[in-house]
Amino acid sequence: MEYLNHVLGISIVYREDPPKSMPNYIHARYRFQKVTLDGKAAVFLYPKTELDAVSAVKKHVDRVQRTEGVPVVLVPAHLTYRQKEYLLRDHVPFIVEGRQIYLPFLAVYLQERGDGERQETEVMLPSAQQLLLSYIYQGCGELLTSEASCRLALTPTSISRASRQLEDMGLIRTEKRGVQKVIFSEKTPENLFRDAKRFLCNPVKRRIYVPKAKIKEKLLISGYSALAEYSMLNPPPVESFAADSVAAWDSAASKKLHDSDEQCAVELWRYDPKKLAEDGFVDRLSLALALGGERDERIEEAIEEMLAGVWKDIHGKRD
């Protein structure tokens, strides 16, 4: 690895002697390379697949270090910002060639920009937003990704990608337990929602106005109509509904309201609102995000009243 020598002047010698006996789960996850760094023996550990949760990686590194009796350095192809932070916190040595070096046994720490670091300012994926809100509604704690996949009718791949983004954003942590992957957080539902708000997006993509006679299916009540149900706000003159597709009304719809007696509003959502719905209404956290840009004092108070009801209901389920 010329990176160490080029950047820090550390000479590296690769040794051919094989590693000592290790459990199969270690061999399945890593390739070993014994080295000396400026004369100090160490072991490089190259992940063969996607990196496990950092808590599990630390256990793997500790296991190899106990067996070999020398420092063990993780050498992944890349690290996300959060993975880097967790490795630093847990004092796990690592090298990402061309990017970062953390060798505490040599008193060396050099960092450049980590993969995924820009996600701090990115908007959350719709699947990640669904996953996070579902997790908050259950009261946080622990959630199997397989359970979340069934609950939200999302593919395991979508859930994996969503959970990885949430972890990169520092909102949750994940851990592998056998073949299962678990999502967890020590935060309260209120604090998690508050911390996530800078990433969360308005679920409403666009709004159209449709003749009421054209609505042949039962839609979820949304917008101010739903807020009136969840608070002391008076019902609005125009009913609002939510759907994950508005193609059925494109020919009859208009972008502007022409007749409040004949038309209703239909919102196109970025994710299927039925997955988190509550008794015929869109869920309250998504509704708060949809109406969060309003500057009307009455609306703001109604949203606060609605959110207070969410936290009360969540805590009531946990007690």
Side-chain angles (χ1 to χ4, degrees), residues 50-55 80-83 86 119-120 161-175 181-182 184:
E50 183 180 343
L51 205 63
D52 286 343
V54 171
S55 56
T80 67
Y81 174 76
R82 288 297 164 188
Q83 286 172 328
Y86 290 151
Q119 290 185 349
E120 291 287 355
R161 185 182 178 198
S163 62
R164 188 161 57 246
Q165 186 187 42
L166 295 178
E167 186 167 26
D168 288 346
M169 289 174 168
L171 299 174
I172 62 164
R173 297 181 66 184
T174 64
E175 184 177 274
K181 186 177 182 181
V182 180
F184 63 96

Side-chain angles (χ1 to χ4, degrees), residues 210-266:
V210 180
K212 295 178 183 179
K214 295 290 184 179
I215 305 294
K216 304 298 184 183
E217 59 186 280
K218 188 171 179 60
L219 299 176
L220 293 174
I221 298 173
S222 185
Y224 297 133
S225 301
L227 185 60
E229 176 68 20
Y230 293 135
S231 69
M232 298 298 291
L233 188 73
N234 291 326
V238 179
E239 289 183 292
S240 293
F241 301 96
D244 61 340
S245 173
V246 296
W249 308 293
D250 274 348
S251 60
S254 62
K255 294 181 180 179
K256 294 183 179 180
L257 178 66
H258 298 297
D259 189 332
S260 59
D261 292 326
E262 298 294 328
Q263 291 175 301
C264 62
V266 179

Side-chain angles (χ1 to χ4, degrees), residues 36-213:
T36 58
L37 303 174
D38 276 352
K40 185 173 183 62
V43 172
F44 281 176
L45 217 53
Y46 298 86
K48 292 180 179 179
T49 58
E50 183 180 343
L51 205 63
D52 286 343
V54 171
S55 56
V57 171
K58 186 177 189 307
K59 293 176 183 177
H60 301 160
V61 169
D62 289 344
R63 177 68 171 83
V64 176
Q65 186 163 322
R66 286 197 306 271
T67 302
E68 292 291 336
V70 298
V72 176
V73 181
L74 188 69
V75 190
H78 61 85
L79 286 175
T80 67
Y81 174 76
R82 288 297 164 188
Q83 286 172 328
K84 180 193 74 175
E85 292 299 302
Y86 290 151
L87 290 172
L88 289 171
R89 181 201 62 192
D90 292 340
H91 307 293
V92 176
F94 63 86
I95 299 171
V96 181
E97 190 157 5
R99 289 181 178 271
Q100 297 135 356
I101 304 171
Y102 175 55
L103 304 173
F105 57 93
L106 294 179
V108 170
Y109 176 39
L110 173 71
Q111 70 167 336
E112 297 180 30
R113 197 172 188 81
D115 294 347
E117 196 158 359
R118 289 176 297 171
Q119 290 185 349
E120 291 287 355
T121 58
E122 289 181 0
V123 171
M124 200 176 286
L125 294 167
S127 57
Q129 186 156 318
Q130 282 183 285
L131 176 59
L132 182 69
L133 297 184
S134 178
Y135 177 64
I136 289 173
Y137 279 124
Q138 81 157 29
C140 297
E142 294 188 352
L143 174 64
L144 294 174
T145 54
S146 57
E147 181 183 338
S149 179
C150 293
R151 183 186 299 177
L152 298 172
L154 294 172
T155 66
T157 300
S158 294
I159 288 291
S160 177
R161 185 182 178 198
S163 62
R164 188 161 57 246
Q165 186 187 42
L166 295 178
E167 186 167 26
D168 288 346
M169 289 174 168
L171 299 174
I172 62 164
R173 297 181 66 184
T174 64
E175 184 177 274
K176 281 191 176 180
R177 297 179 186 172
V179 297
Q180 296 281 7
K181 186 177 182 181
V182 180
I183 293 169
F184 63 96
S185 172
E186 293 79 21
K187 297 176 182 177
T188 64
E190 300 99 309
N191 288 339
L192 182 53
F193 185 69
R194 181 200 63 207
D195 292 348
K197 284 193 76 172
R198 68 185 186 277
F199 300 115
L200 293 165
C201 66
N202 183 339
V204 179
K205 196 171 183 179
R206 65 188 177 97
R207 181 180 292 103
I208 59 174
Y209 294 92
V210 180
K212 295 178 183 179

